[in-house]
Structures are given as C-alpha cells and as structure tokens.
Amino acid sequence: MIVRKRRRIQTLFRRIVSVGSLALLFHVFQGRFTLLRDTRTDGSFLVHHFLSFYLKAGCKVCFVGLIQSFSHYNVVAQKLGVSLPAAKERGQLVFLEGLKSCFEVLFKEEPPTGQPNPLQFIREGGSNLKALYEFVRTSLTPSESDSWKCPVLLVDDVSVLLSLGMRPVDVLDFIHYCRVTVCSQLKGNIVVLVHSSEDSDDTENELVVNALCHQSNLILWAEGLATGFCKDIHGQLKIIPRGPAEPSTERDLPRTYQYKIQDRNVTFFARGMSTAVL
Amino acid sequence: MAALATGGAVRRGVAPSFRRAGEPGLAALPGTRPSLRRGQLLLSSGVPSLDAVLGGGLAVGTLLLIEEDKYGIYSNLLFKYFLAEGIVSGHHLFVASAKEDPADILKELPAPLLDEVNEEETVFKSKESQDYMKIAWRYQNLPKMEASPAASSRFGHYYDVSKTLSPELLQSTKCHHFFLPEEISLHPNINICSNMTSGYIRLLQSIQRIIYQEGFDGSHPQKKQKNILRIGIQNLGSVLWGEDISCTDNPEDIYSLTKFLYVLRSLLRMSLSACIITVPAHLIQNKAIMERVTNLSDTVVGLESFIGSERETNPLYKDYHGLIHIHQIPQLNSLICDVSDTKDLAFRLKRKLFTIERLHLPPDLSDTVSRSSKQDLAESAKLLSSGCGAMAMGKKHLDF
C-alpha cells in the first residue's frame, strides 16, 4: 500500500516536470540562437535530440558535423526515429561531414569546377571561415521549390574550430555572420554545441563560450554532477532562458533538471527524484 | 565508419542497410568481435583487462591515446601489447616512431601465451566446484566478487614479457615502418600543404598512402580478404617530432598536434584501422593543448606509475605498480556509453599478466588497532578519488 502510494507520487512529480520549461525543447520558435554547453560530461545527446526534432518538425536543416562521421549520427537518429539518408534525398537535410571534407581538402586534387571546399582553411592556413559561411548560406537559402518550414543550422561542435587553428575572433565572426543570415534574414534557428569547463586552461575556448553565452536566446547547460560519478544520474541540465521572452512561455528563471540517458531517449526528473534515491 | 563495417560494405556515404552483426562476411575479419549493441567491430587492445574496462575492446576506426607515465615504461609496454596482439591476430601493422627504429621495436614484442592459459583455467574451475560452503551456506549461490573486471576470453591474448615474439611470426606479418630521421633523409623536400610540423605531414601522407595502396578504405573491391591495419605512433608530441610543446611554456605553434589528430581521425574513420598513440602528457606544460587533444581522441587512458614517487611505500598501494585513469570512452553510435562502476583502477604487472584491478583498501589486520594506525589508513583512503571519472568529474576532497 505504501509502495503504491510512493510510486503514484513519483509519477506525479515526473509529469509536472515534463510539462514545465522542457517545453522549450519541443517547440519550434523562430529566429532563435540556442547554445548547448557541456562541462565535465558529454552534451552530444542534445545535438542528436535537436537534429531529430527539427527533421520531424519539417524544417530545413543544415548540419555541420565536424567531430563525428555521418554514420554515427545516422545510427543514433534511427534510434530516435528519423532516417538521415532519406532526409538528404528529399533535400531536407544538408550534411557537412567535416572529417570527409578534411580528407578531400588535403589528399585529393581539387575539382576545377564547383564550390570550394568549406574546410579549405585547413590546407591554406590563414584564418578565415568564409568558405564555411558561404556553404551554410547557400544550403539554407530557400529555393522556389522548397516547402520546408524555417531553416535551422546545427553546429557540432565549435570548439573543434579552435583546435584547427582558428582564432576566437574568426569563430565569433563566423557565428555572427550565420546569425545575421539565418536568424534575422531567413527567420530560422541556430543551435551550436561548445565544450567548456570551469577551471579550464583553455582561455581561447572560454572566450568563445562567454561571448556565445551573451549572444544566445537559450542556454542548455549539461553538467556532470558536482558530487561525482553516479550510475543512475548521468548529469544535470540547466535551462537558462535569455533575451526577450516570448509571451506564451513562462518568465525567465533558470531551471535545473537531472537526467539519465537511456538507449533511445533521455529521462528528465527534478533534482533528488531519481529512482536510485527514491 | 565502424557502423558501416557491420553492413559489410566499407564505403563512405552509402546508407548502411540493417544487417545482423553475425554475418559471415563480418566474421571473416580476424581478431575482431562485433559489438551487437552498437553495431561496431571491436578489436582487442592486447590486455584483456583493459578491454573489459573499455567496454569490450577498441572499436575499429577509433583512436586510443595513452598519456605516458613519468618514465614511459608502462606506456611502452601497452604499446607493445597492442602491436603484439595485431601480429597474433594476423592484422597488418604500421609502426611510427621518431625515437627508435620500428624494426627494433618489433623485435622486442612480448611472446603470446597460447596454450598455458587454457590449462590454468580448467584446473581452477574444477577445484571450485568441489568447494561447498559449510557455514555460510546461504551465500553459496551469490556471484563471486571479482577484483579484476576482466573475463578471460579467446578474444584477447596474454603475453609473457620475459620472452620475445618468434621471428617466424614476425616474418609472416606485413609491417610498415615509419622512422622519422630515415624519412627525412630519404625525402628531404615535401610540399607543405598546411602549416603543420613537417614530421606530422610526412606521417599523415605515409599513413594515407598505405591505407590507399593496401585497400583498407575499400578502394580495391576486388580484394576478397579484408584485414585491419593497426597503427602505432610512439611518443607523439615529443621534441623529436619537431615540436616544441613539450619543452616550452609558450610554444610557437600550438595547433600542430591538434590538427594532426583531426586529420588522423578522418583517416581512421574512413578505413578499417585502429590507432594507438602515446603522448608524454606530463611534459606538456600548456594544459589547454591536453584538453583539446582529449576532445579530439576517442579513448583516453592515463597511466601513473608509482616508481620514484612517495606512493611506492604506501601500504595502500603495495600490491600495485601504478594507477590507471580512464579519462574518456567514446560514445559511438549510441546516446550512452559503457562506463564501468569504479573509477579507482590500478594496474599490476606480473611476468605473464598485466592486470587492471579495482583499487580497494587492504583489510586492517593489525592486532592492536590503535588510533595512529587508523589514521594512516584514513590518510591513504583520502587518496582514493571520490568516485570521479570519465562521465562526471566532481569536486575533490568531499569529506563525509
């Protein structure tokens, strides 16, 4: 009897949590810049979520995947219910596979015609992300036959650009140009992942992260638990709305949830409400 | 790329059709084991207990980065285990070094124990079945507590460090060498395509050439027998590669190593290969570089040996030779990754066995349980990390 009552309270709490500001994760806004930030843990589950979410919502997506191969995203997206090759065929998804482009830039002859490789800065040196920006612009500019909803740019992840020799200024310029084109002109959304850490020695990375935090409309900050490793709670997610709030959502208060990543989804619960504890 | 391998077709950009991992085309790759949950192909790293800690093995197409211990003894040993495992499984090898001639490295590989281990296992098992618990019989059916997370299997092999690999076995394997001083003398001029250190550019070109010529990236479909290329790069980031990140605080070019790792990652992901790199992390003063290097690698393992440190005489560590820190395990093809329960792992090297075990406090068996002895143990218990690890690092020194 007592056990049943406790379980009812648990499910009640879970339902309250899911209706709240997690709705920010499941509503297609327009002209928004969302920053995904992770500290001491891996926040790539958020990238997979947003990719499958925007594809299911019918938006045109340009995905700049710099750190993993296409098949990795494909396998995870299949678990989340979306087929990336099919989306590519019907023109809904433009996927830049960074690793493949890097190989082509360095080890293959350049084709005489066609667009310059978006990652040609690896070969040429210099500090210019213009080719990458041009790629984003041409893939998201709507053509007459397109019937998709707002365009979306997803970047996974920005910290890699710093490792490839870009200065923080160039990275911020690139993001700024993308925001002007995608958010203001095309009324689309941008979602960007950065890695950060509290007492990090990587000052350039922290500079970029701080600047992006100030520019964003919503920050999703995935952190490892401060008390150490736990098998049942993989981390905590802070949702920090910034900028002018839409009239339909609640007032901007940062909210914190803890999460556990499973094979096909992620469960969120209020702090202290994990099944391991209750 | 590892996921595509389960589909049998090693081609970029082609959608993998869903096929069961147990297909005959897949099992033909020697020395590998499919991971059914993730659709990946796993290789053994040469140390079965390290395989267990890394979640079954090293995935094909990934990079294993080892942060060297202070004198490089145990990292060198892990490097040799990896190469020896490749020889025993019949893979191709690519050994690159700026310090030692790869031919010398290959001569010193440990010999595998092929028959003896199985005998030991069967003898042990028959003894166990005769032990019935007479007093604590309620605990008879509980699973045994295992100190080492490994289960010995046919997938990995054990090596005897006191013997070297037989030359016949070495002859039968295809090994490619890259010795930097030799390469520089043979080809003094190369066209520098990007501002990386020239040693790194040569290495990348060499690796790419081997991958293309031998068909590890699927570019020669007429080759029926596919194989794996094991790449071993020793002491990357040291001065001998033409880099200065390990000798100065403000190096000239801090991006060389990270660019190299990015390009290497792209080569690995598009071919049937796996790579082990040892990096002298304790020499690199600029910690930002190590953070970026960690982010660009898949599996990162740090070794900390007790040689020459005060921990050598600590009673807590008397059975072990060093600590092993698993900094990162890749999350490929799934949202979650296998993380082992314990973060306190220590390693021990015996002649025929390199084990990685859970670190635990030795039992306090002293007759006079005085306050002072308890305090010693409490001091050493503080040295145990508070369960921090790869998934979530917490604040240290939390006392309860």
Side-chain angles (χ1 to χ4, degrees):
Chain A
M1 211 349 224
I2 297 174
V3 171
R4 242 182 285 144
K5 201 173 179 187
R6 196 170 68 160
R7 282 214 196 103
R8 246 183 277 145
I9 296 176
Q10 279 178 33
T11 45
L12 192 62
F13 267 113
R14 294 246 175 87
R15 250 178 256 138
I16 290 175
V17 156
S18 65
V19 163
S21 56
L22 281 180
L24 286 170
L25 289 178
F26 298 100
H27 186 94
V28 181
F29 295 108
Q30 292 225 326
R32 269 206 163 192
F33 180 79
T34 306
L35 182 70
L36 307 175
R37 184 177 172 178
D38 62 23
T39 306
R40 301 187 304 250
T41 184
D42 190 5
S44 56
F45 68 96
L46 291 167
V47 175
H48 294 301
H49 157 74
F50 275 107
L51 177 61
S52 53
F53 164 64
Y54 279 121
L55 283 176
K56 281 185 200 166
C59 300
K60 176 144 194 200
V61 177
C62 173
F63 192 97
V64 178
L66 295 172
I67 196 71
Q68 297 284 10
S69 61
F70 176 72
S71 61
H72 163 73
Y73 296 108
N74 189 19
V75 171
V76 182
Q78 272 176 2
K79 289 186 182 163
L80 297 175
V82 176
S83 166
L84 294 189
K88 266 171 94 166
E89 302 241 341
R90 53 176 190 254
Q92 191 185 6
L93 172 66
V94 179
F95 196 100
L96 172 65
E97 193 176 348
L99 295 171
K100 189 168 131 190
S101 303
C102 169
F103 173 79
E104 281 169 2
V105 140
L106 287 179
F107 296 114
K108 288 214 164 132
E109 266 54 14
E110 249 195 66
T113 56
Q115 278 188 334
N117 196 308
L119 292 187
Q120 64 186 32
F121 61 86
I122 297 181
R123 187 186 179 98
E124 286 167 6
S127 219
N128 203 339
L129 287 169
K130 194 143 189 260
L132 190 58
Y133 163 69
E134 289 294 327
F135 172 81
V136 168
R137 194 176 60 85
T138 44
S139 32
L140 285 182
T141 311
S143 55
E144 291 76 29
S145 54
D146 272 347
S147 59
W148 310 112
K149 284 194 222 164
C150 61
V152 176
L153 168 66
L154 282 160
V155 183
D156 176 20
D157 58 58
V158 166
S159 310
V160 171
L161 291 172
L162 289 172
S163 306
L164 288 174
M166 294 291 111
R167 299 167 304 173
V169 153
D170 305 311
V171 175
L172 292 173
D173 280 344
F174 165 70
I175 298 282
H176 179 74
Y177 270 75
C178 289
R179 271 180 68 215
V180 165
T181 311
V182 178
C183 291
S184 306
Q185 287 175 1
L186 300 174
K187 299 280 180 281
N189 297 324
I190 300 186
V191 180
V192 161
L193 174 69
V194 277
H195 299 297
S196 77
S197 108
E198 268 161 13
D199 38 352
S200 158
D201 288 300
D202 197 348
T203 47
E204 292 182 350
N205 194 28
E206 292 306 305
L207 201 83
V208 172
V209 170
N210 278 331
L212 290 180
C213 279
H214 285 293
Q215 292 177 14
S216 56
N217 298 116
L218 176 67
I219 302 178
L220 295 175
W221 192 349
E223 289 179 293
L225 293 178
T227 44
F229 170 69
C230 172
K231 226 172 115 172
D232 292 297
I233 306 175
H234 291 148
Q236 91 184 358
L237 184 71
K238 267 196 216 157
I239 302 181
I240 308 173
R242 292 177 58 89
E246 271 73 9
S248 54
T249 58
E250 301 138 5
R251 267 329 279 168
D252 38 0
L253 282 176
R255 287 170 197 272
T256 311
Y257 299 106
Q258 289 178 342
Y259 61 85
K260 177 174 175 165
I261 307 178
Q262 287 151 346
D263 196 34
R264 283 171 193 268
N265 68 340
V266 181
T267 44
F268 291 91
F269 35 86
R271 277 184 290 189
M273 290 287 158
S274 154
T275 46
V277 171
L278 287 175
Chain B
M1 208 55 217
L4 283 180
T6 52
V10 184
R11 274 190 285 271
R12 294 195 316 268
V14 174
S17 55
F18 176 75
R19 284 193 225 173
R20 292 265 181 89
E23 267 215 4
L26 192 62
L29 280 173
T32 60
R33 162 167 92 175
S35 160
L36 297 164
R37 258 194 316 151
R38 309 269 195 86
Q40 282 175 339
L41 206 54
L42 296 179
L43 296 175
S44 170
S45 59
V47 181
S49 42
L50 184 63
D51 289 338
V53 167
L54 293 180
L58 198 61
V60 169
T62 60
L63 170 63
L64 170 62
L65 189 93
I66 298 192
E67 295 178 356
E68 293 179 8
D69 49 318
K70 209 153 72 154
Y71 302 105
I73 298 173
Y74 297 106
S75 57
N76 220 8
L77 194 63
L78 285 182
F79 186 76
K80 288 188 184 152
Y81 277 135
F82 184 84
L83 296 176
E85 182 68 33
I87 292 186
V88 169
S89 313
H91 300 156
H92 291 200
L93 292 187
F94 181 100
V95 186
S97 171
K99 189 164 72 165
E100 285 177 67
D101 195 354
D104 294 332
I105 300 178
L106 289 173
K107 278 189 209 140
E108 292 170 6
L109 293 183
L113 295 170
L114 287 169
D115 296 315
E116 301 171 32
V117 180
N118 292 333
E119 278 180 33
E120 277 178 29
E121 274 179 44
T122 47
V123 164
F124 188 58
K125 284 212 173 97
S126 57
K127 261 197 211 158
E128 267 185 22
S129 54
Q130 294 156 14
D131 278 334
Y132 289 118
M133 293 191 185
K134 293 192 179 110
I135 298 175
W137 49 272
R138 281 205 185 271
Y139 297 105
Q140 177 75 45
N141 295 327
L142 285 180
K144 286 209 174 3
M145 171 74 178
E146 277 185 31
S148 78
S152 63
S153 59
R154 282 148 273 165
F155 172 58
H157 296 90
Y158 294 96
Y159 295 92
D160 186 348
V161 256
S162 57
K163 300 189 196 143
T164 54
L165 213 55
S166 64
E168 294 87 37
L169 206 49
L170 206 53
Q171 296 286 341
S172 61
T173 321
K174 197 127 186 239
C175 304
H176 306 278
H177 299 184
F178 181 93
F179 186 39
L180 188 63
E182 211 178 281
E183 292 288 319
I184 291 180
S185 62
L186 282 178
H187 313 282
N189 302 315
I190 49 159
N191 51 341
I192 300 186
C193 56
S194 74
N195 41 0
M196 256 192 269
T197 315
S198 72
Y200 292 160
I201 300 176
R202 286 172 200 272
L203 179 56
L204 285 170
Q205 285 176 342
S206 185
I207 294 177
Q208 192 270 330
R209 199 179 51 238
I210 301 291
I211 288 179
Y212 177 68
Q213 279 171 1
E214 304 285 326
F216 290 107
D217 56 351
S219 53
H220 298 298
Q222 67 271 16
K223 263 198 178 154
K224 296 278 167 52
Q225 181 63 22
K226 289 194 202 128
N227 209 341
I228 307 253
L229 177 68
R230 283 194 187 224
I231 304 174
I233 307 178
Q234 204 185 33
N235 248 164
L236 196 68
S238 73
V239 189
L240 296 166
W241 287 97
E243 267 255 56
D244 58 351
I245 55 174
S246 51
C247 52
T248 62
D249 269 341
N250 300 314
E252 264 178 39
D253 184 9
I254 59 172
Y255 301 115
S256 250
L257 182 58
T258 44
K259 271 192 220 169
F260 170 82
L261 285 175
Y262 189 76
V263 182
L264 180 66
R265 192 186 179 109
S266 73
L267 285 173
L268 290 175
R269 289 287 198 271
M270 51 164 271
S271 60
L272 281 175
S273 54
C275 184
I276 187 172
I277 294 187
T278 62
V279 174
H282 54 100
L283 293 176
I284 298 180
Q285 302 296 329
N286 191 342
K287 293 300 163 201
I289 298 182
M290 277 321 294
E291 282 176 26
R292 292 183 186 174
V293 162
T294 305
N295 283 337
L296 284 171
S297 325
D298 296 303
T299 316
V300 182
V301 169
L303 291 174
E304 185 189 332
S305 80
F306 295 150
I307 301 177
S309 79
E310 45 168 17
R311 293 181 177 186
E312 212 169 355
T313 46
N314 195 317
L316 178 66
Y317 299 127
K318 64 175 163 56
D319 291 330
Y320 304 108
H321 290 123
L323 296 178
I324 188 164
H325 308 282
I326 311 285
H327 293 297
Q328 187 172 276
I329 296 183
Q331 276 183 349
L332 288 175
N333 295 344
S334 91
L335 285 172
I336 52 174
C337 69
D338 296 320
V339 190
S340 72
D341 293 354
T342 49
K343 303 294 161 195
D344 302 311
L345 296 166
F347 64 85
R348 178 182 8 194
L349 173 66
K350 293 188 261 197
R351 186 171 67 98
K352 290 187 182 177
L353 199 54
F354 181 96
T355 39
I356 296 176
E357 291 173 10
R358 234 172 266 188
L359 186 63
H360 49 263
L361 284 175
D364 188 10
L365 292 173
S366 59
D367 290 332
T368 57
V369 183
S370 61
R371 274 187 192 272
S372 54
S373 74
K374 272 213 157 134
Q375 208 148 52
D376 282 340
L377 275 179
E379 284 296 314
S380 27
K382 274 195 192 152
L383 293 168
L384 280 176
S385 64
S386 56
C388 311
M391 278 290 276
M393 291 289 289
K395 294 197 171 72
K396 299 177 186 162
H397 308 306
L398 274 176
D399 280 325
F400 287 90

